[in-house]
Amino acid sequence: SFYQGLVFLTENNVSDLGYDLTFSTEIEEFGVTEVRDLKPGGRNLSVNEDNKKDYVKLVCQMKMTGAIRQQLNAFMEGFYDIIPKRLISIFNEQELELLISGLPTIDIDDLKANTEYHKYQATSLQVQWFWRALRSFDQKDRAQFLQFVTGTSKVPLQGFAYLEGMNGYQKFQIHRDDRSTDRLPVAHTCFNQLDLPAYETYDKLKRMLLLAINECSEGFGLA
């Protein structure tokens, strides 16, 4: 409902809301609800057509981090007490996960058996090239690929049939991208989805896939 409200706000005029909206939001913490400003004096600053994009950005930041800042700070204080910040800050989040968990053993046959195709078929040439390329990867590149398409390098304990998405179990999906073969593959990590252009050759598919998983692995949702 929070998401749908923001979509309505971005697609419609603020005056259509039927109520006054300010740069503040209600936050519930430990059973207590309070109004917090999204910027200094925010509760006295009205949202209008000119500043509503700024409002959406700030209210999302508040919901995802600001509202739990106290808890995040407590967690980080304890974490850095065990592992000093100067030792851990050289790693990004993907490298840190691999450092803690190690390289996973990825069963390509299990992943292939639990893959869904959209505008492709299992017999499509690009799909066959994709699995050939994935089998040629070493363990590090396979782990990078899994991080790229799912957001984590962890393999489900019960196999890829139990791969989770944002709405529960969600198998790995390969969607055909018809826009251009000059585009890199695109990942939608919330849905374990890979948008794969219909590349003309195996070598190009493998090169573009490696480029995507090694250079475009940062970010949330889309890579």
Side-chain angles (χ1 to χ4, degrees):
S1 60
F2 173 69
Y3 165 77
Q4 290 174 338
L6 293 181
V7 170
F8 183 87
L9 176 62
T10 58
E11 296 179 349
N12 296 273
N13 196 290
V14 175
S15 60
D16 294 337
L17 295 177
Y19 57 88
D20 292 332
L21 190 64
T22 65
F23 276 80
S24 62
T25 188
E26 288 189 348
I27 296 296
E28 182 177 339
E29 191 172 46
F30 303 115
V32 178
T33 301
E34 64 176 2
V35 176
R36 293 189 187 177
D37 290 336
L38 301 177
K39 57 171 58 180
R43 68 192 67 190
N44 299 315
L45 180 61
S46 296
V47 176
N48 54 46
E49 285 299 297
D50 294 329
N51 61 23
K52 68 180 183 181
K53 288 185 178 180
D54 191 30
Y55 168 81
V56 170
K57 176 183 176 181
L58 291 173
V59 77
C60 286
Q61 289 178 342
M62 176 63 75
K63 289 286 186 180
M64 291 188 289
T65 57
I68 54 171
R69 176 58 57 192
Q70 183 178 351
Q71 294 91 325
L72 287 175
N73 288 341
F75 171 82
M76 294 307 298
E77 183 180 353
F79 186 87
Y80 289 143
D81 188 52
I82 298 171
I83 305 177
K85 184 176 181 179
R86 62 182 176 81
L87 298 180
I88 210 73
S89 60
I90 62 173
F91 302 104
N92 62 31
E93 64 273 23
Q94 288 89 7
E95 293 168 337
L96 182 59
E97 181 182 38
L98 292 175
L99 185 66
I100 294 173
S101 304
L103 285 173
T105 299
I106 298 174
D107 187 338
I108 302 299
D109 290 327
D110 182 39
L111 179 61
K112 184 178 181 179
N114 292 284
T115 296
E116 299 173 346
Y117 303 100
H118 297 263
K119 297 175 67 176
Y120 273 130
Q121 296 179 343
T123 55
S124 298
L125 192 57
Q126 287 77 15
V127 170
Q128 294 181 48
W129 287 342
F130 167 80
W131 292 115
R132 176 184 166 191
L134 201 58
R135 290 182 191 280
S136 74
F137 291 176
D138 59 22
Q139 286 295 92
K140 177 179 176 295
D141 283 334
R142 291 183 183 186
Q144 288 277 82
F145 168 78
L146 194 59
Q147 283 183 332
F148 178 70
V149 295
T150 70
T152 177
S153 63
K154 290 184 174 63
V155 176
L157 292 176
Q158 297 169 289
F160 284 107
Y162 294 89
L163 193 64
E164 291 194 8
M166 66 179 297
N167 295 315
Y169 293 130
Q170 174 63 68
K171 291 184 178 181
F172 173 52
Q173 306 174 62
I174 300 178
H175 289 235
R176 181 176 175 129
D177 185 347
D178 289 318
R179 287 173 289 182
S180 171
T181 57
D182 292 327
R183 292 173 57 88
L184 292 175
V186 175
H188 305 260
T189 56
C190 293
F191 307 105
N192 303 324
Q193 175 181 326
L194 180 71
D195 290 350
L196 184 68
Y199 296 116
E200 300 88 350
T201 67
Y202 165 75
D203 289 337
K204 184 175 182 180
L205 184 147
K206 181 178 179 180
R207 175 170 55 83
M208 298 293 267
L209 185 59
L210 280 171
L211 183 61
I213 66 175
N214 287 296
E215 302 297 334
C216 309
S217 58
E218 295 189 6
F220 178 81
L222 289 174

